[in-house]
Amino acid sequence: MTTKSVVSDGVQIRLASQLIELGARLQVLENETTLSRERLSRLYKEIRGVSPPKGMLPFSTDWFVSWQPNIHASLFMNIYCYLVQHTQANGISAVIKSYRLYQEQVGSDPDQVPVLSLTRAWTLLRFFDSKQLTLAKCSDCHGHFISHTFDLHHAYRCGLCHPPSRAGKKLPL
């Protein structure tokens, strides 16, 4: 094993550890690092104390345009776009920095599951890259919110300016 591969492995393990601590699923880790699935599974179990969750990643854009998730996903996306445009952050580094800033803004409680997980944030960026989602400007507040790319955006009103009638009401358990 060369010194270069040892350094590379150390960097990859640090990156995987950061992603695991932020809640990334195994599929994200496999996509963003060069470590084997077996090694990532062991690292996940070491850090989280449990085996990585099984199952598919989110695959529908619809979750991102529903009321509360849209607000959270839009906040993350605006942070991400700002960082990429105004700093030298890019790639997975920009995702990690943006997600941490998002968590600071929403006052993330470690005991609660965040509305927008790191895995969903990562998936959101894939939907933007494939041009399935875009940012639409609200005609009232002029903020930028996630919308389907081919929806009509003329006179678009966001979920903050025009909340659904049941927003904020508690539903019976």
Side-chain angles (χ1 to χ4, degrees), residues 7 9-19 43:
V7 170
D9 270 1
V11 169
Q12 293 296 306
I13 290 169
R14 265 194 308 282
L15 173 59
S17 298
Q18 286 179 337
L19 291 168
L43 186 60

Side-chain angles (χ1 to χ4, degrees), residues 6-96:
V6 171
V7 170
S8 178
D9 270 1
V11 169
Q12 293 296 306
I13 290 169
R14 265 194 308 282
L15 173 59
S17 298
Q18 286 179 337
L19 291 168
I20 291 167
E21 287 167 0
L22 290 172
R25 298 266 304 263
L26 198 55
Q27 295 93 324
V28 175
L29 300 172
E30 285 180 300
N31 223 314
E32 296 297 336
T33 69
T34 58
L35 300 174
S36 70
R37 183 176 183 85
E38 180 182 317
R39 193 159 184 193
L40 289 168
S41 288
R42 284 195 317 259
L43 186 60
Y44 191 99
K45 192 165 186 170
E46 184 181 322
I47 292 171
R48 289 280 177 143
V50 294
S51 294
K54 300 200 181 329
M56 293 174 36
L57 291 178
F59 60 88
S60 172
T61 58
D62 293 339
W63 184 87
F64 296 102
V65 295
S66 60
W67 181 68
Q68 186 181 31
N70 183 269
I71 294 166
H72 285 262
S74 296
L75 175 61
F76 168 80
M77 196 64 200
N78 279 285
I79 292 169
Y80 176 83
C81 289
Y82 184 87
L83 279 179
V84 168
Q85 289 173 354
H86 294 91
T87 71
Q88 294 180 0
N90 58 27
I92 194 64
S93 170
V95 174
I96 291 170

